[in-house]
Amino acid sequence: MLKKLLILAAFAAVVAAYFGLGLGQYLTFDGMKAAVAGWNAFYAENPALVLAAFFAAYVAVTAASLPGAAIMTLAAGALFGLVTGTILVSFASTIGAGLAFLSARYVLRDGLEARFGERLRAINAGLERDGAFYLFTLRMLPVFPFFVVNLVMGLTRLPLVTFLWVSQLGMLLGTAVYVNAGTQLARIDGLSGIVSPALLGSFALLGIAPWFAKLLIGWARRRKAYAGFTRPKRFDRNLVVIGAGSAGLVSAYIAATVKAKVTLVEAHAMGGDCLNTGCVPSKALIKSARVAEQMRRADRYGITPTEPQVPFRETIARVRHVIRAIEPHDSVERFEGLGVDVVQGYARMVDPWTVAITRSDGTEQRLTTRSIILATGAEPIVPPIPGIEGSGYLTSETMWDAFAAMDEVPARMAILGGGPIGCELAQAFARLGAQVTLVEAAEKVLGREDDEVSDLAAAVLTEAGVAVLTGHRATQFEGGVLVAERAGEQVRVPYDALIVAVGRRPRLTGFGLEELGVDVDGNLATDGFLATRFPNILAAGDVAGPYQLTHAASHQAWYAAVNALFGHLKKFTADYRVIPQVTFLEPEFARVGLNERDAAAQGIAFEVTRYGIDDLDRAIAESETAGFVKVLTAPGKDRILGVTIVAAHAGDLLAEYVLAMKHGLGLNKILGTIHSYPTFAEANKFAAGQWKLARKPEKLLTWIEKYHDWRRG
Ligand SMILES: Cc1cc2nc3c(=O)[nH]c(=O)nc-3n(C[C@H](O)[C@H](O)[C@H](O)COP(=O)(O)OP(=O)(O)OC[C@H]3O[C@@H](n4cnc5c(N)ncnc54)[C@H](O)[C@@H]3O)c2cc1C
């Protein structure tokens, strides 16, 4: 605040001096021309003083965005000559511009971001990528006034240093032209004659030159990426998709639908992680665990409770049965029926257009293809903790086979990692009868959520009997014991089964990326169109990130497939604005868009509306009253910025908000929609009702009350 006041005071002082001392008269063409002769004499006697005073005045005028910079530039030529004048003005104008830029930033930017933060995000993202190019073009195109560019850029997140060097460079030619005109002051009679249309045109061309340069660099980069490879003259396929998980299946499906010749290669099981080791088995297990819990707590429903027996082989057999029941959706037969050529085997890129497939029967097939989509998924991260190799750890990839071989639920289970997967498994196994300890290094489980949400998740786990050790770092595994540390204190967690669920990393190695020179350390670099550094090799799903979710994978698959097949005509930027995510605890934890933490971190202003599920008739009838609907809206508007729902069926409830956000429907529209009674979905309408209630027009209602009084006589 003090900074803002100081800036405003300095601005006021400069403006007061400008008008109070009548400086404006010198900053007209005629005023300056008349004064220059006198100044010349004074400059001859006191060169340092005049240079310093001129410099300071130039900085002050430009910093305060006062009119007169062009006149002063001419004066610099008249007084100091071309070289000195150009150097002086070049630095003074850059410093003045920098001060104006900072003033706008300190005084106005926060307020602007608080109001329009969400919309500004796209602009800032563009500036982060191409800020220097934009600014250079703006500086070269005279239609954009100098002071407007300074102020507008100050409102963005463009770094000051970039602003300064690009401004200095971008303004140099224009400055030199004006200073040069100033050296000929006697021969010109106004500002208008200084720059001819031809000169303006040249400046404009120079301004857009960097964009051509950028295109050229992109073209050269692509040529460099493809250098050394010979592009086939003809292609066997339009598209080869590597990996038949959610991303690969959808990519191949779309390609076949638009009649492209597409081959889908899968090394293991069709359906990938989601069907075989991820979403499907985990949700099947969670259902068994819920049933066990309902039996145990049947007294809530007036039924005699009973401690469930869990014949674990049968429980896992059911999980397998569920997978088998869903398998046909992702099967070879189905996809071949859709027109996809499905090959069971391991794919490896030989060059950017050739895929070698080692088929499951040992034979090899080579296919040339115009485009390739990498949909190879992700694999569990195993942290390098001493003793982990001999710890007998399981991951999402190995645990289902291990469980299938067990007669009983492991008595003591340690789960490393308090993200969605770790939390879901912890609650499920605790309900199935295991004594579960969840070890998480961060201070909260579900650490990306708001604190109240994370705390509720921890409480739900604790209620299920899970020992939640947050803020505990696993330091060692020794003889069936996980050793964790918190603030120097050691905790020993003995286990019969250990699950490592600390995250998943993109599967990037072993299928040719290294040989093609793509960086395989960490994440795969893709552009907004999901293309790698080879424009014809795209990626979708967990391998591309950033969301490791099945529906995000299918969503990306559309972009990857369309860009791969039609990108030469029109490319689409992957849109991640409305991606829902659900953690399948009981109650479920679901979110779309911003939560309070993200909004605050991004400087986006918001209002919060809450509706407690304990108020909902259906929830009361079902004794499922835990949770809330929390909606973040733009201040003063019903525009939804984000929604977090903790409730039974929260994942399903969220769909209405996902639709609303995707299509720009506000809370008023949800409030005006009929929801069946009694349903959990009514919670969405009631949350919208809470929002409306908090904004009822009190003054108008007072008048309406008076009207009713009058009507009664
Ligand atoms: C326990 C668990 C629970 C989950 N629960 C949910 C949930 O409830 N909701 C949700 O949205 N997400 C969930 N996920 C995440 C979800 O499973 C993934 O986001 C999704 O499977 C990603 O799909 P994908 O197509 O990118 O990769 P994947 O499904 O991993 O498919 C990649 C495929 O590529 C194949 N492949 C790799 N390399 C080659 C090669 N060189 N040649 C041929 N084939 C190859 C692999 O064999 C694999 O089948 C869960 C994950 C786990 C582990």
mmCIF file of all heavy atoms in Angstrom, residues 242-248 265-269 271-274 277-279 282-283 345-347 375-378 396 399 421 424 504 507 511 540-543 548-551 553 584, ligand 1:
data_model
loop_
_atom_site.group_PDB
_atom_site.id
_atom_site.type_symbol
_atom_site.label_atom_id
_atom_site.label_comp_id
_atom_site.label_asym_id
_atom_site.label_seq_id
_atom_site.Cartn_x
_atom_site.Cartn_y
_atom_site.Cartn_z
ATOM 1 N N ILE A 242 0.840 -46.486 -30.369
ATOM 2 C CA ILE A 242 1.581 -47.433 -29.517
ATOM 3 C C ILE A 242 0.966 -47.426 -28.126
ATOM 4 O O ILE A 242 1.044 -46.430 -27.400
ATOM 5 C CB ILE A 242 3.077 -47.059 -29.455
ATOM 6 C CG1 ILE A 242 3.661 -46.996 -30.866
ATOM 7 C CG2 ILE A 242 3.836 -48.071 -28.600
ATOM 8 C CD1 ILE A 242 5.136 -46.647 -30.920
ATOM 9 N N GLY A 243 0.358 -48.527 -27.759
ATOM 10 C CA GLY A 243 -0.267 -48.650 -26.444
ATOM 11 C C GLY A 243 -1.778 -48.627 -26.566
ATOM 12 O O GLY A 243 -2.345 -47.706 -27.165
ATOM 13 N N ALA A 244 -2.427 -49.658 -26.002
ATOM 14 C CA ALA A 244 -3.893 -49.738 -26.099
ATOM 15 C C ALA A 244 -4.543 -49.547 -24.746
ATOM 16 O O ALA A 244 -5.408 -50.303 -24.320
ATOM 17 C CB ALA A 244 -4.314 -51.057 -26.730
ATOM 18 N N GLY A 245 -4.098 -48.511 -24.022
ATOM 19 C CA GLY A 245 -4.817 -48.074 -22.827
ATOM 20 C C GLY A 245 -5.868 -47.065 -23.264
ATOM 21 O O GLY A 245 -6.188 -46.957 -24.464
ATOM 22 N N SER A 246 -6.380 -46.289 -22.309
ATOM 23 C CA SER A 246 -7.455 -45.348 -22.630
ATOM 24 C C SER A 246 -7.060 -44.423 -23.781
ATOM 25 O O SER A 246 -7.841 -44.211 -24.714
ATOM 26 C CB SER A 246 -7.789 -44.496 -21.403
ATOM 27 O OG SER A 246 -7.735 -45.286 -20.249
ATOM 28 N N ALA A 247 -5.837 -43.877 -23.713
ATOM 29 C CA ALA A 247 -5.415 -42.907 -24.729
ATOM 30 C C ALA A 247 -5.286 -43.573 -26.090
ATOM 31 O O ALA A 247 -5.762 -43.038 -27.100
ATOM 32 C CB ALA A 247 -4.089 -42.269 -24.324
ATOM 33 N N GLY A 248 -4.659 -44.743 -26.123
ATOM 34 C CA GLY A 248 -4.419 -45.420 -27.394
ATOM 35 C C GLY A 248 -5.715 -45.901 -28.028
ATOM 36 O O GLY A 248 -5.924 -45.752 -29.241
ATOM 37 N N VAL A 265 -0.974 -50.913 -31.487
ATOM 38 C CA VAL A 265 -0.076 -51.964 -31.002
ATOM 39 C C VAL A 265 -0.133 -52.026 -29.476
ATOM 40 O O VAL A 265 0.020 -50.998 -28.807
ATOM 41 C CB VAL A 265 1.387 -51.677 -31.424
ATOM 42 C CG1 VAL A 265 2.244 -52.922 -31.193
ATOM 43 C CG2 VAL A 265 1.467 -51.230 -32.863
ATOM 44 N N GLU A 266 -0.332 -53.219 -28.943
ATOM 45 C CA GLU A 266 -0.361 -53.371 -27.484
ATOM 46 C C GLU A 266 0.546 -54.547 -27.089
ATOM 47 O O GLU A 266 0.400 -55.655 -27.600
ATOM 48 C CB GLU A 266 -1.789 -53.609 -26.981
ATOM 49 C CG GLU A 266 -1.903 -53.967 -25.501
ATOM 50 C CD GLU A 266 -1.191 -53.002 -24.554
ATOM 51 O OE1 GLU A 266 -1.496 -51.799 -24.592
ATOM 52 O OE2 GLU A 266 -0.305 -53.454 -23.779
ATOM 53 N N ALA A 267 1.455 -54.250 -26.157
ATOM 54 C CA ALA A 267 2.419 -55.278 -25.759
ATOM 55 C C ALA A 267 1.835 -56.241 -24.733
ATOM 56 O O ALA A 267 2.234 -57.403 -24.659
ATOM 57 C CB ALA A 267 3.669 -54.612 -25.196
ATOM 58 N N HIS A 268 0.919 -55.748 -23.905
ATOM 59 C CA HIS A 268 0.399 -56.610 -22.837
ATOM 60 C C HIS A 268 -1.102 -56.787 -23.018
ATOM 61 O O HIS A 268 -1.525 -57.363 -24.001
ATOM 62 C CB HIS A 268 0.762 -56.029 -21.467
ATOM 63 C CG HIS A 268 2.238 -55.918 -21.290
ATOM 64 N ND1 HIS A 268 3.058 -57.011 -21.161
ATOM 65 C CD2 HIS A 268 3.059 -54.845 -21.250
ATOM 66 C CE1 HIS A 268 4.315 -56.618 -21.057
ATOM 67 N NE2 HIS A 268 4.336 -55.308 -21.100
ATOM 68 N N ALA A 269 -1.875 -56.247 -22.055
ATOM 69 C CA ALA A 269 -3.321 -56.485 -22.127
ATOM 70 C C ALA A 269 -4.023 -55.274 -22.726
ATOM 71 O O ALA A 269 -3.710 -54.124 -22.369
ATOM 72 C CB ALA A 269 -3.854 -56.758 -20.730
ATOM 73 N N GLY A 271 -6.632 -52.435 -23.079
ATOM 74 C CA GLY A 271 -7.297 -51.716 -21.990
ATOM 75 C C GLY A 271 -6.311 -51.034 -21.054
ATOM 76 O O GLY A 271 -6.684 -50.141 -20.294
ATOM 77 N N GLY A 272 -5.036 -51.475 -21.116
ATOM 78 C CA GLY A 272 -3.985 -50.804 -20.339
ATOM 79 C C GLY A 272 -4.209 -50.840 -18.848
ATOM 80 O O GLY A 272 -4.893 -51.723 -18.315
ATOM 81 N N ASP A 273 -3.630 -49.850 -18.181
ATOM 82 C CA ASP A 273 -3.651 -49.813 -16.712
ATOM 83 C C ASP A 273 -5.057 -49.710 -16.165
ATOM 84 O O ASP A 273 -5.406 -50.347 -15.176
ATOM 85 C CB ASP A 273 -2.862 -48.601 -16.205
ATOM 86 C CG ASP A 273 -1.373 -48.872 -16.214
ATOM 87 O OD1 ASP A 273 -0.987 -49.957 -16.687
ATOM 88 O OD2 ASP A 273 -0.619 -48.003 -15.750
ATOM 89 N N CYS A 274 -5.872 -48.859 -16.766
ATOM 90 C CA CYS A 274 -7.173 -48.569 -16.171
ATOM 91 C C CYS A 274 -7.981 -49.851 -16.023
ATOM 92 O O CYS A 274 -8.485 -50.164 -14.943
ATOM 93 C CB CYS A 274 -7.916 -47.551 -17.028
ATOM 94 S SG CYS A 274 -9.457 -47.052 -16.283
ATOM 95 N N THR A 277 -5.131 -52.942 -14.142
ATOM 96 C CA THR A 277 -4.478 -52.793 -12.835
ATOM 97 C C THR A 277 -4.870 -51.510 -12.107
ATOM 98 O O THR A 277 -4.415 -51.272 -10.993
ATOM 99 C CB THR A 277 -2.938 -52.776 -13.004
ATOM 100 O OG1 THR A 277 -2.601 -51.733 -13.926
ATOM 101 C CG2 THR A 277 -2.411 -54.100 -13.531
ATOM 102 N N GLY A 278 -5.668 -50.672 -12.755
ATOM 103 C CA GLY A 278 -5.936 -49.362 -12.155
ATOM 104 C C GLY A 278 -7.367 -49.147 -11.718
ATOM 105 O O GLY A 278 -7.857 -49.766 -10.766
ATOM 106 N N CYS A 279 -8.068 -48.276 -12.464
ATOM 107 C CA CYS A 279 -9.413 -47.852 -12.065
ATOM 108 C C CYS A 279 -10.345 -49.031 -11.812
ATOM 109 O O CYS A 279 -11.015 -49.092 -10.771
ATOM 110 C CB CYS A 279 -10.059 -46.989 -13.145
ATOM 111 S SG CYS A 279 -8.958 -46.159 -14.256
ATOM 112 N N SER A 282 -9.476 -51.445 -8.835
ATOM 113 C CA SER A 282 -9.524 -50.728 -7.552
ATOM 114 C C SER A 282 -10.965 -50.377 -7.182
ATOM 115 O O SER A 282 -11.365 -50.500 -6.023
ATOM 116 C CB SER A 282 -8.623 -49.485 -7.564
ATOM 117 O OG SER A 282 -9.053 -48.562 -8.518
ATOM 118 N N LYS A 283 -11.758 -50.008 -8.186
ATOM 119 C CA LYS A 283 -13.157 -49.674 -7.850
ATOM 120 C C LYS A 283 -13.953 -50.926 -7.495
ATOM 121 O O LYS A 283 -14.859 -50.894 -6.653
ATOM 122 C CB LYS A 283 -13.823 -48.931 -9.001
ATOM 123 C CG LYS A 283 -13.751 -47.436 -8.883
ATOM 124 C CD LYS A 283 -12.422 -46.818 -9.205
ATOM 125 C CE LYS A 283 -11.546 -46.389 -8.110
ATOM 126 N NZ LYS A 283 -10.279 -45.793 -8.519
ATOM 127 N N GLY A 345 1.824 -56.977 -29.662
ATOM 128 C CA GLY A 345 3.275 -57.061 -29.738
ATOM 129 C C GLY A 345 3.907 -55.805 -29.172
ATOM 130 O O GLY A 345 3.205 -54.893 -28.719
ATOM 131 N N TYR A 346 5.221 -55.785 -29.213
ATOM 132 C CA TYR A 346 5.953 -54.657 -28.651
ATOM 133 C C TYR A 346 6.424 -53.748 -29.782
ATOM 134 O O TYR A 346 7.075 -54.204 -30.721
ATOM 135 C CB TYR A 346 7.143 -55.167 -27.827
ATOM 136 C CG TYR A 346 7.772 -54.078 -27.015
ATOM 137 C CD1 TYR A 346 7.249 -53.734 -25.771
ATOM 138 C CD2 TYR A 346 8.862 -53.355 -27.504
ATOM 139 C CE1 TYR A 346 7.802 -52.700 -25.038
ATOM 140 C CE2 TYR A 346 9.420 -52.324 -26.766
ATOM 141 C CZ TYR A 346 8.883 -52.006 -25.540
ATOM 142 O OH TYR A 346 9.419 -50.985 -24.810
ATOM 143 N N ALA A 347 6.081 -52.480 -29.687
ATOM 144 C CA ALA A 347 6.412 -51.542 -30.763
ATOM 145 C C ALA A 347 7.653 -50.728 -30.412
ATOM 146 O O ALA A 347 7.868 -50.380 -29.248
ATOM 147 C CB ALA A 347 5.236 -50.601 -30.993
ATOM 148 N N ALA A 375 1.132 -43.702 -26.737
ATOM 149 C CA ALA A 375 0.127 -43.796 -25.662
ATOM 150 C C ALA A 375 0.580 -44.903 -24.719
ATOM 151 O O ALA A 375 -0.169 -45.817 -24.404
ATOM 152 C CB ALA A 375 -1.240 -44.085 -26.256
ATOM 153 N N THR A 376 1.837 -44.775 -24.315
ATOM 154 C CA THR A 376 2.488 -45.874 -23.588
ATOM 155 C C THR A 376 2.261 -45.813 -22.077
ATOM 156 O O THR A 376 2.769 -46.651 -21.335
ATOM 157 C CB THR A 376 4.005 -45.872 -23.878
ATOM 158 O OG1 THR A 376 4.499 -44.558 -23.609
ATOM 159 C CG2 THR A 376 4.292 -46.230 -25.321
ATOM 160 N N GLY A 377 1.532 -44.809 -21.606
ATOM 161 C CA GLY A 377 1.127 -44.784 -20.202
ATOM 162 C C GLY A 377 2.229 -44.389 -19.236
ATOM 163 O O GLY A 377 3.214 -43.731 -19.601
ATOM 164 N N ALA A 378 2.044 -44.785 -17.986
ATOM 165 C CA ALA A 378 3.005 -44.438 -16.930
ATOM 166 C C ALA A 378 3.255 -45.677 -16.083
ATOM 167 O O ALA A 378 2.495 -46.642 -16.124
ATOM 168 C CB ALA A 378 2.430 -43.311 -16.069
ATOM 169 N N SER A 396 0.931 -50.873 -7.986
ATOM 170 C CA SER A 396 -0.359 -51.102 -8.643
ATOM 171 C C SER A 396 -0.214 -52.138 -9.761
ATOM 172 O O SER A 396 -1.174 -52.802 -10.127
ATOM 173 C CB SER A 396 -0.901 -49.788 -9.208
ATOM 174 O OG SER A 396 0.024 -49.235 -10.118
ATOM 175 N N MET A 399 0.424 -55.763 -7.575
ATOM 176 C CA MET A 399 -0.331 -56.177 -6.377
ATOM 177 C C MET A 399 -1.499 -57.109 -6.679
ATOM 178 O O MET A 399 -1.807 -57.990 -5.878
ATOM 179 C CB MET A 399 -0.805 -54.959 -5.584
ATOM 180 C CG MET A 399 -1.825 -54.106 -6.271
ATOM 181 S SD MET A 399 -2.119 -52.618 -5.277
ATOM 182 C CE MET A 399 -3.281 -51.768 -6.294
ATOM 183 N N ILE A 421 -4.476 -42.777 -4.965
ATOM 184 C CA ILE A 421 -4.384 -44.246 -5.015
ATOM 185 C C ILE A 421 -4.110 -44.804 -3.625
ATOM 186 O O ILE A 421 -4.777 -45.747 -3.166
ATOM 187 C CB ILE A 421 -3.286 -44.691 -6.019
ATOM 188 C CG1 ILE A 421 -3.690 -44.271 -7.431
ATOM 189 C CG2 ILE A 421 -3.054 -46.204 -5.951
ATOM 190 C CD1 ILE A 421 -2.653 -44.582 -8.512
ATOM 191 N N GLU A 424 -7.286 -44.451 -1.394
ATOM 192 C CA GLU A 424 -8.360 -45.392 -1.760
ATOM 193 C C GLU A 424 -8.030 -46.799 -1.268
ATOM 194 O O GLU A 424 -8.876 -47.479 -0.672
ATOM 195 C CB GLU A 424 -8.525 -45.431 -3.288
ATOM 196 C CG GLU A 424 -9.197 -44.194 -3.864
ATOM 197 C CD GLU A 424 -9.345 -44.269 -5.391
ATOM 198 O OE1 GLU A 424 -9.032 -45.320 -5.984
ATOM 199 O OE2 GLU A 424 -9.774 -43.255 -5.981
ATOM 200 N N ARG A 504 3.409 -41.868 -10.269
ATOM 201 C CA ARG A 504 3.668 -42.652 -11.481
ATOM 202 C C ARG A 504 4.413 -41.785 -12.474
ATOM 203 O O ARG A 504 4.125 -40.604 -12.620
ATOM 204 C CB ARG A 504 2.324 -43.112 -12.056
ATOM 205 C CG ARG A 504 1.612 -44.095 -11.135
ATOM 206 C CD ARG A 504 0.110 -44.100 -11.312
ATOM 207 N NE ARG A 504 -0.302 -44.217 -12.683
ATOM 208 C CZ ARG A 504 -0.180 -45.324 -13.422
ATOM 209 N NH1 ARG A 504 0.318 -46.417 -12.886
ATOM 210 N NH2 ARG A 504 -0.556 -45.334 -14.667
ATOM 211 N N ARG A 507 6.007 -43.569 -19.109
ATOM 212 C CA ARG A 507 6.806 -44.682 -19.662
ATOM 213 C C ARG A 507 7.446 -44.190 -20.960
ATOM 214 O O ARG A 507 6.751 -44.038 -21.971
ATOM 215 C CB ARG A 507 5.851 -45.852 -19.939
ATOM 216 C CG ARG A 507 6.402 -47.183 -19.532
ATOM 217 C CD ARG A 507 5.407 -48.292 -19.819
ATOM 218 N NE ARG A 507 4.709 -48.741 -18.626
ATOM 219 C CZ ARG A 507 3.390 -48.851 -18.528
ATOM 220 N NH1 ARG A 507 2.616 -48.515 -19.530
ATOM 221 N NH2 ARG A 507 2.839 -49.316 -17.431
ATOM 222 N N PHE A 511 11.305 -47.830 -26.397
ATOM 223 C CA PHE A 511 10.570 -47.949 -27.667
ATOM 224 C C PHE A 511 11.034 -46.909 -28.695
ATOM 225 O O PHE A 511 10.295 -46.527 -29.587
ATOM 226 C CB PHE A 511 9.056 -47.894 -27.462
ATOM 227 C CG PHE A 511 8.565 -46.697 -26.699
ATOM 228 C CD1 PHE A 511 8.235 -45.534 -27.360
ATOM 229 C CD2 PHE A 511 8.438 -46.749 -25.320
ATOM 230 C CE1 PHE A 511 7.789 -44.428 -26.659
ATOM 231 C CE2 PHE A 511 7.989 -45.649 -24.609
ATOM 232 C CZ PHE A 511 7.668 -44.487 -25.277
ATOM 233 N N ALA A 540 -0.311 -38.925 -25.991
ATOM 234 C CA ALA A 540 -1.564 -38.705 -25.254
ATOM 235 C C ALA A 540 -1.596 -39.618 -24.044
ATOM 236 O O ALA A 540 -0.965 -40.680 -24.035
ATOM 237 C CB ALA A 540 -2.756 -38.995 -26.159
ATOM 238 N N GLY A 541 -2.316 -39.176 -23.019
ATOM 239 C CA GLY A 541 -2.480 -40.006 -21.818
ATOM 240 C C GLY A 541 -1.374 -39.793 -20.802
ATOM 241 O O GLY A 541 -0.684 -38.766 -20.816
ATOM 242 N N ASP A 542 -1.208 -40.776 -19.939
ATOM 243 C CA ASP A 542 -0.252 -40.643 -18.838
ATOM 244 C C ASP A 542 1.161 -40.325 -19.321
ATOM 245 O O ASP A 542 1.920 -39.664 -18.620
ATOM 246 C CB ASP A 542 -0.211 -41.943 -18.022
ATOM 247 C CG ASP A 542 -1.412 -42.078 -17.098
ATOM 248 O OD1 ASP A 542 -2.315 -41.232 -17.184
ATOM 249 O OD2 ASP A 542 -1.434 -43.031 -16.292
ATOM 250 N N VAL A 543 1.524 -40.806 -20.510
ATOM 251 C CA VAL A 543 2.884 -40.561 -20.989
ATOM 252 C C VAL A 543 3.085 -39.072 -21.283
ATOM 253 O O VAL A 543 4.183 -38.544 -21.155
ATOM 254 C CB VAL A 543 3.209 -41.425 -22.238
ATOM 255 C CG1 VAL A 543 2.450 -40.941 -23.455
ATOM 256 C CG2 VAL A 543 4.692 -41.423 -22.518
ATOM 257 N N GLN A 548 -2.942 -37.587 -14.762
ATOM 258 C CA GLN A 548 -2.869 -39.031 -14.953
ATOM 259 C C GLN A 548 -4.226 -39.628 -14.611
ATOM 260 O O GLN A 548 -4.425 -40.222 -13.555
ATOM 261 C CB GLN A 548 -1.748 -39.614 -14.108
ATOM 262 C CG GLN A 548 -0.387 -39.123 -14.603
ATOM 263 C CD GLN A 548 0.767 -39.752 -13.895
ATOM 264 O OE1 GLN A 548 0.670 -40.106 -12.724
ATOM 265 N NE2 GLN A 548 1.884 -39.876 -14.584
ATOM 266 N N LEU A 549 -5.153 -39.402 -15.509
ATOM 267 C CA LEU A 549 -6.529 -39.851 -15.304
ATOM 268 C C LEU A 549 -7.041 -40.433 -16.609
ATOM 269 O O LEU A 549 -6.687 -39.950 -17.691
ATOM 270 C CB LEU A 549 -7.423 -38.662 -14.922
ATOM 271 C CG LEU A 549 -7.105 -37.973 -13.604
ATOM 272 C CD1 LEU A 549 -7.772 -36.597 -13.564
ATOM 273 C CD2 LEU A 549 -7.590 -38.826 -12.442
ATOM 274 N N THR A 550 -7.910 -41.420 -16.499
ATOM 275 C CA THR A 550 -8.410 -42.074 -17.701
ATOM 276 C C THR A 550 -9.143 -41.106 -18.617
ATOM 277 O O THR A 550 -8.929 -41.095 -19.829
ATOM 278 C CB THR A 550 -9.347 -43.220 -17.285
ATOM 279 O OG1 THR A 550 -8.534 -44.182 -16.635
ATOM 280 C CG2 THR A 550 -10.028 -43.855 -18.465
ATOM 281 N N HIS A 551 -10.022 -40.287 -18.023
ATOM 282 C CA HIS A 551 -10.791 -39.394 -18.891
ATOM 283 C C HIS A 551 -9.917 -38.287 -19.481
ATOM 284 O O HIS A 551 -10.200 -37.787 -20.565
ATOM 285 C CB HIS A 551 -11.989 -38.798 -18.140
ATOM 286 C CG HIS A 551 -11.659 -38.325 -16.761
ATOM 287 N ND1 HIS A 551 -11.581 -39.163 -15.686
ATOM 288 C CD2 HIS A 551 -11.362 -37.109 -16.298
ATOM 289 C CE1 HIS A 551 -11.269 -38.467 -14.611
ATOM 290 N NE2 HIS A 551 -11.129 -37.211 -14.958
ATOM 291 N N ALA A 553 -6.872 -38.879 -20.402
ATOM 292 C CA ALA A 553 -6.193 -39.599 -21.482
ATOM 293 C C ALA A 553 -7.086 -39.635 -22.729
ATOM 294 O O ALA A 553 -6.632 -39.351 -23.839
ATOM 295 C CB ALA A 553 -5.845 -41.015 -21.028
ATOM 296 N N PHE A 584 -11.930 -41.990 -4.871
ATOM 297 C CA PHE A 584 -13.077 -42.834 -4.515
ATOM 298 C C PHE A 584 -12.972 -43.375 -3.097
ATOM 299 O O PHE A 584 -12.935 -44.582 -2.874
ATOM 300 C CB PHE A 584 -13.236 -43.949 -5.550
ATOM 301 C CG PHE A 584 -13.638 -43.400 -6.891
ATOM 302 C CD1 PHE A 584 -12.680 -42.991 -7.808
ATOM 303 C CD2 PHE A 584 -14.973 -43.238 -7.219
ATOM 304 C CE1 PHE A 584 -13.043 -42.452 -9.031
ATOM 305 C CE2 PHE A 584 -15.346 -42.699 -8.442
ATOM 306 C CZ PHE A 584 -14.377 -42.308 -9.349
HETATM 307 C C1 LIG B 1 -4.556 -48.131 -8.773
HETATM 308 C C2 LIG B 1 -4.972 -47.115 -9.777
HETATM 309 C C3 LIG B 1 -6.233 -46.587 -9.740
HETATM 310 C C4 LIG B 1 -6.641 -45.652 -10.677
HETATM 311 N N1 LIG B 1 -7.899 -45.155 -10.600
HETATM 312 C C5 LIG B 1 -8.304 -44.227 -11.504
HETATM 313 C C6 LIG B 1 -9.624 -43.711 -11.463
HETATM 314 O O1 LIG B 1 -10.427 -44.084 -10.621
HETATM 315 N N2 LIG B 1 -9.989 -42.800 -12.391
HETATM 316 C C7 LIG B 1 -9.126 -42.366 -13.358
HETATM 317 O O2 LIG B 1 -9.499 -41.518 -14.168
HETATM 318 N N3 LIG B 1 -7.858 -42.831 -13.416
HETATM 319 C C8 LIG B 1 -7.426 -43.755 -12.522
HETATM 320 N N4 LIG B 1 -6.164 -44.267 -12.604
HETATM 321 C C9 LIG B 1 -5.266 -43.754 -13.651
HETATM 322 C C10 LIG B 1 -5.541 -44.439 -15.005
HETATM 323 O O3 LIG B 1 -5.408 -45.815 -14.849
HETATM 324 C C11 LIG B 1 -4.577 -43.926 -16.044
HETATM 325 O O4 LIG B 1 -4.642 -42.521 -16.086
HETATM 326 C C12 LIG B 1 -4.901 -44.455 -17.429
HETATM 327 O O5 LIG B 1 -4.827 -45.839 -17.441
HETATM 328 C C13 LIG B 1 -3.922 -43.879 -18.446
HETATM 329 O O6 LIG B 1 -4.173 -44.422 -19.687
HETATM 330 P P1 LIG B 1 -3.046 -44.427 -20.819
HETATM 331 O O7 LIG B 1 -3.710 -44.886 -22.064
HETATM 332 O O8 LIG B 1 -2.322 -43.165 -20.825
HETATM 333 O O9 LIG B 1 -1.975 -45.506 -20.327
HETATM 334 P P2 LIG B 1 -2.114 -47.017 -19.944
HETATM 335 O O10 LIG B 1 -3.468 -47.399 -19.555
HETATM 336 O O11 LIG B 1 -1.015 -47.291 -18.981
HETATM 337 O O12 LIG B 1 -1.812 -47.782 -21.291
HETATM 338 C C14 LIG B 1 -0.537 -47.822 -21.864
HETATM 339 C C15 LIG B 1 -0.400 -49.108 -22.613
HETATM 340 O O13 LIG B 1 0.731 -49.021 -23.463
HETATM 341 C C16 LIG B 1 1.311 -50.298 -23.547
HETATM 342 N N5 LIG B 1 2.672 -50.104 -24.030
HETATM 343 C C17 LIG B 1 3.665 -49.398 -23.449
HETATM 344 N N6 LIG B 1 4.760 -49.433 -24.225
HETATM 345 C C18 LIG B 1 4.454 -50.173 -25.320
HETATM 346 C C19 LIG B 1 5.168 -50.553 -26.468
HETATM 347 N N7 LIG B 1 6.406 -50.151 -26.671
HETATM 348 N N8 LIG B 1 4.554 -51.323 -27.390
HETATM 349 C C20 LIG B 1 3.284 -51.710 -27.215
HETATM 350 N N9 LIG B 1 2.557 -51.365 -26.135
HETATM 351 C C21 LIG B 1 3.143 -50.614 -25.210
HETATM 352 C C22 LIG B 1 1.219 -50.813 -22.135
HETATM 353 O O14 LIG B 1 1.310 -52.215 -22.119
HETATM 354 C C23 LIG B 1 -0.146 -50.303 -21.712
HETATM 355 O O15 LIG B 1 -1.144 -51.250 -21.930
HETATM 356 C C24 LIG B 1 -5.741 -45.224 -11.682
HETATM 357 C C25 LIG B 1 -4.456 -45.759 -11.741
HETATM 358 C C26 LIG B 1 -4.070 -46.697 -10.809
HETATM 359 C C27 LIG B 1 -2.685 -47.252 -10.887
#
